[in-house]
Amino acid sequence: MAAASTPADHSGAAANRTPADRDHADTHPAPARPAPTSVPDALRPFDAVVLDTDGVITDSARVHAAAWKTAFDACLRDHPPEAPADRRPFDPVADYLRHVDGRSRADGAAAFLASRGLTLPEGGPDDPPGTGSVGAVAAYKDRLFTERLAHDGVDAYPGTLRLLELLHTAGVPLAAVSASRHARELITRAGVLPRLDALVDGNEAARLGLPGKPDPALFLEAARRLGADPARTVVVEDALAGVAAGHRGGFGLVVGVDRTGGPGTADALREHGADLVVRDLGDLLPTGDTT
């Protein structure tokens, strides 16, 4: 796997970084590069890799899911759906993957509530935490997530860390994307930021007016900042909406990460656009390089 093929590609990636990305890169000089044969076989034909954050890089999806459960279950109690079957509590695995994983807070809240037949006022991002509007439910979830993040923190997955280190050392351009406005904090606290060349998070998406997944805009912006052709770029995702975005964006390889190992999850990832499904990114490492 080669890095961007010409010096112009590299200069374009640097020019497209945010000031924070450029400042960060300036303070972390690149290490010596080993032979590119160390890059996993599945990734070697491509020029760059773009990874989702929650559930792919950091073990934060579980924290998001727990916060969503508290917020949604409170909403279901305060606004019981008419159909008894719709009153079932939020499932932090199945409902999280189907409705909120990979989406912005507002989109995720709206999608889940609609799945339960609830029509609440849309509200907005300034709504106080509560259950009276979609915006209030999203704000409630964000408050819960922030509290749990401050108390417990999050870690990067060891397999992901090892793969990122290998790719970074081999000179492969790397970017992270996330619909979350907390992504930079998560990646920084997990010690991953020095390995990345670009980050497109929820704050950048809002600033640029980028639509959320399954629209591929986040991934396409990340590839643009790396100076990489999407057709020669790998997308790594654990969310159904995310793999669908990678497929729609014409990316050369879409890797689905099935952390749950539940029945049908891998098949669902493939149905939404994953070309390859792994349980952990450590599975991609060359034999004998998994420690």
Side-chain angles (χ1 to χ4, degrees), residues 243-283:
V243 295
H247 180 72
R248 292 181 185 182
F251 285 84
L253 179 69
V254 180
V255 178
V257 182
D258 176 14
R259 298 285 185 195
T260 70
T265 305
D267 289 340
L269 287 167
R270 292 187 185 95
E271 290 169 3
H272 281 74
D275 302 301
L276 171 68
V277 176
V278 296
R279 288 292 303 276
D280 182 87
L281 291 187
D283 297 344

Side-chain angles (χ1 to χ4, degrees), residues 158-160 162-163 259 278-286 289-290:
T160 300
R162 185 71 189 94
L163 179 65
R259 298 285 185 195
V278 296
R279 288 292 303 276
D280 182 87
L281 291 187
D283 297 344
L284 295 174
L285 293 171
D289 196 14
T290 58

Side-chain angles (χ1 to χ4, degrees), residues 9-280:
D9 288 335
H10 290 296
S11 63
N16 290 326
R17 292 173 190 157
T18 64
D21 292 330
R22 291 196 293 273
D23 292 345
H24 168 77
D26 291 342
T27 59
H28 292 82
R33 306 305 193 194
T37 53
S38 61
V39 173
D41 290 344
L43 308 185
R44 197 172 298 162
F46 303 96
D47 295 336
V49 178
V50 179
L51 305 96
D52 179 47
T53 301
D54 298 306
V56 172
I57 297 177
T58 58
D59 185 18
S60 46
R62 61 181 175 81
V63 187
H64 282 292
W68 277 123
K69 179 169 177 58
T70 299
F72 283 140
D73 286 356
C75 186
L76 291 171
R77 287 192 300 270
D78 292 347
H79 308 278
E82 291 185 9
D86 287 338
R87 297 173 193 167
R88 63 192 186 280
F90 176 80
D91 186 318
V93 176
D95 284 325
Y96 179 77
L97 290 174
R98 185 175 300 114
H99 302 298
V100 301
D101 192 16
R103 301 178 188 270
S104 69
R105 284 196 303 271
D107 288 348
F112 173 76
L113 295 175
S115 78
R116 294 296 199 267
L118 287 179
T119 304
L120 297 181
E122 182 177 351
D126 296 328
D127 285 10
T131 63
S133 69
V134 174
V137 174
Y140 186 18
K141 178 268 174 183
D142 189 52
R143 187 184 73 185
L144 293 165
F145 177 80
T146 302
E147 291 171 351
R148 295 179 188 193
L149 178 63
H151 185 267
D152 299 325
V154 295
D155 296 316
Y157 288 102
T160 300
L161 273 179
R162 185 71 189 94
L163 179 65
L164 287 175
E165 184 63 29
L166 185 154
L167 296 174
H168 173 70
T169 304
V172 177
L174 299 169
V177 305
S178 177
S180 173
R181 295 174 183 260
H182 297 285
R184 182 173 291 273
E185 178 186 3
L186 291 170
I187 288 173
T188 300
R189 293 176 65 166
V192 175
L193 193 60
R195 297 168 175 84
L196 301 175
D197 300 290
L199 169 64
V200 182
D201 62 4
N203 295 302
E204 282 294 277
R207 182 179 71 84
L208 297 173
L210 301 178
K213 306 168 191 175
D215 190 286
L218 287 172
F219 291 125
L220 292 171
E221 174 64 15
R224 185 190 71 80
R225 294 186 184 194
L226 295 178
D229 179 354
R232 295 190 56 80
T233 300
V234 179
V235 161
V236 186
E237 257 285 2
D238 70 316
L240 300 181
V243 295
H247 180 72
R248 292 181 185 182
F251 285 84
L253 179 69
V254 180
V255 178
V257 182
D258 176 14
R259 298 285 185 195
T260 70
T265 305
D267 289 340
L269 287 167
R270 292 187 185 95
E271 290 169 3
H272 281 74
D275 302 301
L276 171 68
V277 176
V278 296
R279 288 292 303 276
D280 182 87

